[in-house]
Structure formats: structure tokens, C-alpha cells
Amino acid sequence: MTFDVMTLFPAQIENNLKESITGRALTKGVIKLNAVNIRDFCDNDYGKVDDTIYGGGTGLLIKCEPVYQCWKSLFDSEENRPYTIYVSPKGSVLNQKKVIELSKKKEICIICGHYEGIDSRVIDEICDEEISIGDYVLTGGELAACVIIDSVSRMIDGVLPNEDAFTNESHMDGTLEAPQYTMPSSWHQSEVPSVLLSGNDAKINEHRKIASLVETWQKRPDMLDNLEISEDEWQKAIAMRKNL
Ligand code: ADE
């Protein structure tokens, strides 16, 4: 999978993703990153890519043409056109379902706005969709681009050590992951549930399933609306929650 990022601050993208798991995936070549500077496509000698806003308004807007030329430089034919995303607080909010959908693409181009954003005409012409990472406003799209690349990369074969590492995670099946514990089994008068020390895989899986339901119920009750929970599971979840 190739990620192109169109930005005024390529180093912000590269520095963020070169660490840890994404860094290793980049070194192995499982994912590729191509952070391009929109400024390299401006039509003047002094690197100005933005201008004042028609009709008035504070701040500056990135102009259509440098964005368009930057995007065109990424592919040589219509078949190679990358799936193109504009990150902005106006987009649909990213979730795990969208992350999985994006992980199946061959190449994704993410366009980052800065200042007041980008002239709407070029966004309408070249973008397949607009994505937000939450209902708040960042100073620019770079962190949002990194969030998308990080979350999508995790879903790509060869990035995480094994499939278990992502199938048992929060949000993969619409619930939050059960609480997890490591040594020691007793810490500050708090004990690890004894079933997790039993070595009985069936019982452990059953415990984790109910614990995951309880975790979701406590921390994100809104997510329960989309789940099919049997009466038996509910009763077990109620009993487990009473014992917490
Ligand atoms: N740019 C500024 N705020 C943003 C947000 N919440 N999501 C994506 N891109 C953004």
C-alpha cells in the first residue's frame, strides 16, 4: 500500500511515521510513504501557495492550481489515480469500518489543508471523500493524515506480528476489548480475575467475551445499540458488573 500525503509540512508526516510499528513497516517496504510538498507546485518564484478569501474572512486559503498540479504529479494515467481523501473537520468521522475499507486500497492520497483550508473547487474536483478524525479543529490536516495512515497500516498484512494482534482489539467486532493484566497477579490489593490464571482456554475466552461486553457497557454504552446480545450474555454481564 502506498500513502501519498500532499502537505505544506512533509517533515511532520515523515517524522511521525518513521517511529515504532509504522517505521518498521516502512523499512520493510510493506507500506510506502510519499510526502510531497504542495509548495513545490506553486506558480511563482517566492513559494506563495495561498491567498485571501473572496467575500472576506480571516486567514488565507490554499489555491486550486498548486494542489491540482501536485495531485497530477502523483500518477501518469487515470487507472493509476490514487484514492483521494481530503482531511477536514467537515468530513465524515473516521471509524474502524472505514479504516478496514481503506486498507483494501492500493494507493491512497491524503490532502492536508492548513490555515483556513483549500479552495473548495479543487477539493470537489479531485477528492473521493472527506474525512474528519473527530469533532474538534486541528491547526492543520497533518495529524489527521498520520492517524489515518497509522490506523490503516495496522490492518495491512505484514505490519503487525500476527492476525490475532488486530482481530482481538477494541472496535473490531463492535465492542471494546476486555481489560488485560500482566504480572504480578496481585497489585495494590487488586487481583487479576482468577479464571485468567486457570489455563483453561475455553473459560478464558468466555470470560473475555463477557468482560468485553461489560467494558463496552461501562465506557461506551452507545455502542451497545448496534450489538446482538443474548439473554444469557446479558445475565452474565450483569453478574460480572455487580462483582467489579
Ligand atoms: N483538520 C483540522 N481539523 C481536522 C479534523 N478534526 N479532522 C481532520 N482534519 C482536520
Side-chain angles (χ1 to χ4, degrees):
M1 155 86 82
T2 299
F3 296 100
D4 305 304
V5 184
M6 291 171 43
T7 168
L8 294 176
F9 303 95
Q12 193 181 349
I13 305 287
E14 288 159 351
N15 288 337
N16 195 301
L17 296 169
K18 73 179 184 206
E19 301 292 342
S20 182
I21 293 174
T22 49
R24 283 198 293 277
L26 284 166
T27 309
K28 278 202 282 177
V30 191
I31 56 170
K32 294 194 173 72
L33 176 66
N34 174 32
V36 277
N37 197 332
I38 300 170
R39 210 178 289 287
D40 293 343
F41 296 84
C42 70
D43 53 7
N44 53 67
D45 297 336
Y46 39 94
K48 186 172 160 61
V49 288
D50 49 11
D51 219 319
T52 50
I53 304 171
Y54 280 125
T58 46
L60 299 170
L61 212 56
I62 302 175
K63 301 199 273 188
C64 289
E65 198 54 18
V67 173
Y68 187 64
Q69 291 307 332
C70 182
W71 181 71
K72 292 283 279 179
S73 76
L74 299 174
F75 57 99
D76 48 16
S77 68
E78 211 27 53
E79 300 92 78
N80 295 332
R81 178 191 184 287
Y83 189 78
T84 304
I85 296 166
Y86 178 47
V87 278
S88 108
K90 291 202 269 182
S92 27
V93 179
L94 186 68
N95 58 25
Q96 193 64 25
K97 183 163 172 265
K98 175 58 72 180
V99 165
I100 293 168
E101 188 186 312
L102 293 176
S103 70
K104 308 211 163 103
K105 309 266 180 219
K106 199 167 133 257
E107 182 171 358
I108 291 175
C109 167
I110 305 175
I111 304 179
C112 305
H114 229 88
Y115 316 122
E116 279 305 300
I118 298 179
D119 188 313
S120 297
R121 292 168 296 179
V122 69
I123 297 304
D124 292 346
E125 185 160 324
I126 69 180
C127 290
D128 297 297
E129 71 174 305
E130 197 163 335
I131 293 181
S132 162
I133 61 160
D135 292 339
Y136 44 81
V137 184
L138 303 165
T139 56
E142 285 72 16
L143 287 173
C146 290
V147 166
I148 294 176
I149 296 171
D150 185 292
S151 56
V152 170
S153 297
R154 290 182 68 254
M155 293 294 112
I156 294 170
D157 270 355
V159 172
L160 293 183
N162 62 50
E163 198 174 289
D164 232 31
F166 59 82
T167 48
N168 290 337
E169 278 288 352
S170 291
H171 295 289
M172 287 302 292
D173 66 352
T175 60
L176 302 181
E177 190 180 32
Q180 302 200 89
Y181 314 93
T182 185
M183 308 251 242
S185 62
S186 175
W187 182 80
H188 286 201
Q189 274 90 51
S190 177
E191 310 296 327
V192 172
S194 57
V195 60
L196 298 178
L197 312 176
S198 71
N200 182 331
D201 285 343
K203 284 206 167 131
I204 290 173
N205 288 341
E206 163 74 8
H207 168 88
R208 286 200 170 132
K209 185 153 197 249
I210 304 302
S212 142
L213 208 54
V214 172
E215 189 83 337
T216 312
W217 183 14
Q218 285 183 310
K219 295 186 177 171
R220 287 288 306 275
D222 56 299
M223 287 170 64
L224 293 180
D225 296 346
N226 303 320
L227 291 179
E228 275 183 28
I229 304 163
S230 70
E231 187 51 36
D232 180 51
E233 285 170 337
W234 259 125
Q235 291 310 324
K236 287 177 174 157
I238 291 166
M240 189 183 282
R241 193 168 171 176
K242 270 197 197 134
N243 287 330
L244 288 178

